[in-house]
Amino acid sequence: MSILKTVDPVVYDLTVKELHRQCDHLEMIASENFTYPAVMEAMGSVFTNKYAEGYPAKRYYGGCEFADQVEQLAIDRVCKLFGCTYANVQPNSGSQANQGVYQALLNPFDKILGMDLSHGGHLTHGAKVSSSGKTYSSFFYGVELDGRINYDKVREIAHIVKPKMIICGASAYPREIDFAKFREIADEVGAYLFADIAHIAGLVAAGEHPSPFPHCHIVTSTTHKTLRGPRGGIILTNDEEIAKKVNSAIFPGIQGGPLVHVIAAKAVGFAENLKPEWTTYAKQVRANAKVLADVLIKRGYDIVSGGTDNHLVLVSFLNKEFSGKEADLALGHAGITVNKNTVPGETRSPFVTSGVRIGSPALTARGMKEKEFEIIANKIADVLDNINDEALHVKIKDEMKVLASNFIIYDRPTY
Ligand code: PLP
């Protein structure tokens, strides 16, 4: 940090401000987490200087002997973590991992069937504004008004659409995903089954959510959400032919030189995920999310699907005067960072919404447990009960800052 301070005090100042923001607020965005200092050190390493187009032992540049070793280490560790045979650790993001899957297994205009964005799916699962929806013919399944996937309905749609690929996995689905059932449906219509486990990967790695293997032909994830690694993506499979196609799709298909420093950081993250302590963390993530749901239900809030099986809770304000956007803003003023989200039966626009998505991974990484989540859930309810009471929001913000200060996540430099 001190070199940055000397060379570029403006960027240094912004970085320190962001550090304080992350430390002082309660970070409850379900897709965010606090990565490990060792991961950040690897990300800031000399590997950032290295061009390594290609794959270990098959590069287009010289001087790749250490890049080869670090990439192979990341591959071996992630395969061990998820119990699969082949991994591509080069995607720069979850979106690029998904793009790589499509590029590997589909042709333009092929039919894909994914979860509707407004029902909890991701943009890259065929939304019309995304290249996945522009390049392929996308069709969607959703959730029922009870907030759950109805697998009979998915089957019905799949039989009508006859997609080449079915995509399962979501950005805002609080319940377990039944990969075996999805595979039955995929087999009935002769489709590839692709699971995007970006949100739940950390739980899967710990056995806290059923594994997509052996059911799915291909699996992607981000590495920075519940996995707590660096920002990035991965693609996993047990099928050698698919693995070969994926490698060609990523490089030279859609990427050039891989981010070797990020691959090194992924290896560090996977090593953390392989430790016995990881299971303790993942169990706590789920336990904390459950407390959040239970308290909010007790306080009279409508929780989509009536609870959670994973790391996130979706709160619905369909029966309230205020929107998700207003709730998001009010909670932000109270030092609690969440995001607005559409809910089943949505009546407002996607920019306004009738819900918020709240996650437990980041605060669990700080060491918070059920006791703290009970306090926080009650404070969330206090803010929502008094959505226009700005003085109360400021008071709660101060209280949350004190609570946060008892759970130090990173050292803070003094200016
Ligand atoms: N897939 C799912 C299910 C996600 O929730 C996200 C991000 O939120 C992504 C893919 C995309 O990841 P990235 O933001 O790294 O492109």
Side-chain angles (χ1 to χ4, degrees):
M1 229 11 149
S2 58
I3 298 172
L4 180 60
K5 187 178 179 180
T6 312
V7 172
D8 193 332
V10 179
V11 172
Y12 174 80
D13 180 57
L14 292 172
T15 308
V16 172
K17 281 181 176 146
E18 173 62 11
L19 173 66
H20 287 306
R21 188 195 66 78
Q22 291 188 15
C23 293
D24 290 340
H25 291 77
L26 295 186
E27 182 49 68
M28 302 192 83
I29 291 178
S31 52
E32 292 187 10
N33 213 328
F34 293 105
T35 195
Y36 299 90
V39 165
M40 291 195 280
E41 189 177 332
M43 260 193 290
S45 71
V46 289
F47 276 125
T48 196
N49 300 329
K50 189 70 200 99
Y51 248 107
E53 283 180 357
Y55 290 97
K58 285 173 258 151
R59 305 284 189 189
Y60 290 82
Y61 286 80
C64 286
E65 56 269 37
F66 303 114
D68 277 6
Q69 287 177 49
V70 89
E71 183 165 346
Q72 195 56 53
L73 196 60
I75 290 169
D76 293 345
R77 286 177 180 172
V78 79
C79 284
K80 188 169 175 202
L81 189 63
F82 289 101
C84 61
T85 320
Y86 304 98
N88 187 309
V89 295
Q90 294 193 359
N92 296 332
S93 67
S95 297
Q96 281 186 330
N98 292 354
Q99 202 186 345
V101 168
Y102 302 142
Q103 166 107 351
L105 301 179
L106 302 174
N107 292 309
F109 309 114
D110 276 348
K111 289 188 252 181
I112 57 173
L113 174 61
M115 192 164 178
D116 197 316
L117 180 64
S118 67
H119 287 231
H122 189 257
L123 280 166
T124 56
H125 298 179
K128 296 298 175 193
V129 291
S130 132
S131 71
S132 62
K134 292 187 201 289
T135 312
Y136 309 101
S137 302
S138 52
F139 297 84
F140 301 99
Y141 61 87
V143 294
E144 299 295 298
L145 284 176
D146 67 1
R148 292 176 189 255
I149 295 169
N150 176 340
Y151 292 88
D152 292 333
K153 272 213 177 146
V154 178
R155 172 176 280 114
E156 250 176 59
I157 300 169
H159 277 267
I160 294 166
V161 170
K162 299 206 174 11
K164 187 157 177 193
M165 178 180 282
I166 296 178
I167 305 152
C168 56
S171 298
Y173 187 63
R175 293 301 183 178
E176 212 168 89
I177 293 170
D178 192 336
F179 298 115
K181 235 176 221 164
F182 267 112
R183 178 59 187 260
E184 268 175 34
I185 299 168
D187 283 348
E188 285 170 25
V189 299
Y192 285 117
L193 180 60
F194 160 34
D196 175 351
I197 61 167
H199 261 265
I200 52 170
L203 305 181
V204 171
E208 288 296 305
H209 186 290
S211 173
F213 292 115
H215 311 294
C216 301
H217 296 101
I218 190 155
V219 175
T220 63
S221 180
T222 50
T223 45
H224 48 272
K225 296 187 175 76
T226 47
L227 278 175
R228 276 190 82 179
R231 299 200 84 77
I234 47 173
I235 305 177
L236 313 171
T237 183
N238 279 327
D239 183 310
E240 190 179 356
E241 284 311 305
I242 291 179
K244 280 187 194 157
K245 287 180 181 171
V246 162
N247 282 355
S248 307
I250 292 295
F251 174 82
I254 59 170
Q255 289 187 187
L259 307 180
V260 184
H261 55 304
V262 179
I263 291 172
K266 286 174 181 171
V268 176
F270 299 145
E272 291 294 334
N273 304 141
L274 282 163
K275 290 180 181 169
E277 301 88 289
W278 184 255
T279 306
T280 313
Y281 168 72
K283 279 185 194 303
Q284 193 67 55
V285 164
R286 287 184 67 204
N288 289 348
K290 187 169 183 320
V291 168
L292 198 57
D294 290 348
V295 171
L296 288 170
I297 288 168
K298 252 190 236 153
R299 294 285 301 261
Y301 284 90
D302 185 9
I303 300 300
V304 173
S305 83
T308 178
D309 295 329
N310 57 29
H311 62 298
L312 68 87
V313 172
L314 262 183
V315 194
S316 169
F317 308 125
L318 279 176
N319 57 355
K320 301 275 177 200
E321 296 284 298
F322 58 84
S323 65
K325 186 178 174 185
E326 287 165 290
D328 176 344
L329 275 174
L331 288 166
H333 291 148
I336 300 169
T337 314
V338 302
N339 67 278
K340 62 176 185 267
N341 218 95
T342 51
V343 293
E346 184 59 75
T347 52
R348 297 176 171 108
S349 85
F351 299 104
V352 179
T353 80
S354 298
V356 288
R357 186 184 68 162
I358 315 181
S360 60
L363 294 187
T364 307
R366 291 184 81 148
M368 294 192 193
K369 295 198 164 69
E370 287 90 336
K371 187 172 144 234
E372 289 76 31
F373 270 76
E374 190 174 343
I375 295 168
I376 295 163
N378 274 303
K379 294 295 171 189
I380 290 173
D382 290 347
V383 172
L384 298 176
D385 286 350
N386 302 280
I387 198 95
N388 294 317
D389 187 343
E390 286 174 19
L392 178 74
H393 303 167
V394 171
K395 182 173 163 278
I396 290 177
K397 183 177 184 176
D398 291 340
E399 290 169 13
M400 295 302 94
K401 191 171 171 182
V402 173
L403 175 65
S405 70
N406 293 326
F407 294 87
I408 291 167
I409 184 75
Y410 297 132
D411 293 336
R412 302 201 218 190
T414 47
Y415 271 93

